[in-house]
Amino acid sequence: MEPAPFVRGCAFNGTSSVPYPRADPADTRIPRDTWQTAQLPVGVRLEILGEAEALDIAYITATEDLGYRGDGAGRTFSLWRGGKLVDEEKAGLGEGRVRLALGGWPGDERAIVYLPEGMKPTIKSLSGVNGRIEPAPADQPRWIAYGDSVAEGWVASGPAYAWPAVAGRQHGLDVVNMGYAGAARGEVASAEQIANLEADAISITHGTNCWTRTPHSVDMMLAAVAAFIDAVRQGHPETPIVVVSPVIRPDAETTPNRFGATLEELRRAMEAEAAERDVVVISGADLIGPEHLADGIHPDDEGHRILANVIGAEVARAVRR
């Protein structure tokens, strides 16, 4: 079967070289580093119904270089059903095929297959083994999750454990992951792309890259947050928006950047400016502790689980009000 009807989490049209982009390939205004990370199909997945015993997936992967995330960027196809990991198979480089057990669940129980996203896969076809499969209905509320490396899933042990993926499973949300590692600084071009997408809820969770990657002063942060939210609002005047300031980062909390701003000050600026608008504001300062940071910056699996519980619950409440 053709894969397109099964694909979820991809809001933009693909190209011959980037089948599942997470930013608009036609928008040349976005920074180069944003486009580089947007080429990874983070959060892109297959969603299936059916009573087949197993699912066969034919694929092509483009690389084995997973960079800083290592195996956490995904080397396997993993199938989840009923909130549980049912089966997992390693992907190879180049053309290949995997078979994943569907676990004997009722045919109307949605199965979610997470991809080896770091290997830049392209899905060629799907087929059921000893039974039928069909695309799951595209009827879940769509959630656009904009953010940085934490939203992208760094450094969870696999794509299925990134907090947006966990929250999507828990609350039945069609999450579109627009997390850009090292590259999300609240650019207006990204806000305008979000404004043009269909969405039932939006979360905005960047900020740490404004401390050092592209350093901001407090005044710059105030202006950038205002512009980003206002640009999103122009396309979504009634859509619920949840804004979450950066989670704890011990090396940055009280250390001034080149413009004299600490992460603590930038966090407060983000919260203050967002609070002036019709959005839900969550402070990231105390959501997780240093013990949940696998590398001093990014959450481990438990940290991602906590973020999913808190942020995901707020997004779900906003959708269903």
Side-chain angles (χ1 to χ4, degrees):
M1 301 177 72
E2 287 294 317
F6 297 86
V7 174
R8 301 289 185 273
C10 186
F12 300 96
N13 293 325
T15 70
S16 58
S17 58
V18 185
Y20 315 115
R22 296 184 300 117
D24 185 354
D27 190 346
T28 57
R29 300 170 305 155
I30 59 174
R32 181 188 296 181
D33 58 358
T34 302
W35 175 240
Q36 285 176 335
T37 191
Q39 294 178 55
L40 293 172
V42 173
V44 177
R45 60 206 180 275
L46 308 172
E47 298 198 359
I48 302 112
L49 298 182
E51 289 121 359
E53 292 179 5
L55 171 70
D56 277 357
I57 304 173
Y59 66 87
I60 298 175
T61 56
T63 182
E64 283 189 309
D65 181 6
L66 304 190
Y68 181 82
R69 288 174 73 190
D71 290 352
R75 290 192 183 275
T76 67
F77 290 86
S78 65
L79 188 146
W80 292 67
R81 214 168 188 182
K84 300 180 183 300
L85 175 62
V86 174
D87 201 5
E88 189 170 27
E89 290 292 336
K90 193 173 187 302
L93 181 62
E95 291 194 45
R97 183 180 293 268
V98 295
R99 176 168 293 184
L100 299 170
L102 281 164
W105 290 78
D108 60 355
E109 179 69 46
R110 188 180 300 252
I112 304 174
V113 177
Y114 295 95
L115 311 183
E117 56 195 34
M119 299 179 75
K120 297 184 178 179
T122 300
I123 307 303
K124 305 302 291 183
S125 67
L126 289 83
S127 55
V129 179
N130 295 329
R132 70 174 182 90
I133 61 167
E134 62 184 56
D139 58 358
Q140 295 181 323
R142 176 182 269 189
W143 166 27
I144 305 297
Y146 175 83
D148 50 33
S149 54
V150 177
E152 194 176 80
W154 290 32
V155 286
S157 60
Y161 300 97
W163 72 261
V166 175
R169 286 196 304 275
Q170 288 177 337
H171 298 287
L173 300 172
D174 177 17
V175 59
V176 175
N177 191 312
M178 292 179 68
Y180 306 131
R185 298 157 295 249
E187 286 85 358
V188 170
S190 291
E192 290 180 339
Q193 289 186 18
I194 295 169
N196 290 329
L197 295 175
E198 294 183 8
D200 296 293
I202 298 163
S203 61
I204 300 169
T205 62
H206 68 288
T208 192
N209 295 320
C210 299
W211 174 69
T212 183
R213 174 78 172 176
T214 303
H216 285 46
S217 67
V218 169
D219 286 344
M220 290 169 64
M221 192 69 173
L222 291 167
V225 170
F228 193 92
I229 296 173
D230 290 350
V232 171
R233 268 283 174 243
Q234 287 170 6
H236 295 281
E238 303 295 333
T239 304
I241 298 176
V242 177
V243 176
V244 187
S245 60
V247 299
I248 188 171
R249 179 172 173 172
D251 67 330
E253 293 297 321
T254 59
T255 304
N257 64 14
R258 68 165 53 203
F259 296 122
T262 66
L263 183 61
E264 182 181 25
E265 291 169 335
L266 294 177
R267 181 186 296 114
R268 288 202 303 266
M270 184 175 189
E271 294 166 6
E273 195 62 41
E276 296 294 319
R277 286 155 174 79
D278 181 22
V279 302
V280 175
V281 181
I282 299 174
S283 176
D286 300 316
L287 292 182
I288 58 176
E291 69 276 15
H292 299 120
L293 300 176
D295 59 359
I297 299 174
H298 304 100
D300 58 12
D301 285 354
E302 176 64 9
H304 278 280
R305 186 192 65 79
I306 293 169
L307 296 179
N309 286 346
V310 176
I311 304 171
E314 193 60 57
V315 171
R317 275 194 294 270
V319 166
R320 295 182 171 100
R321 281 177 187 148

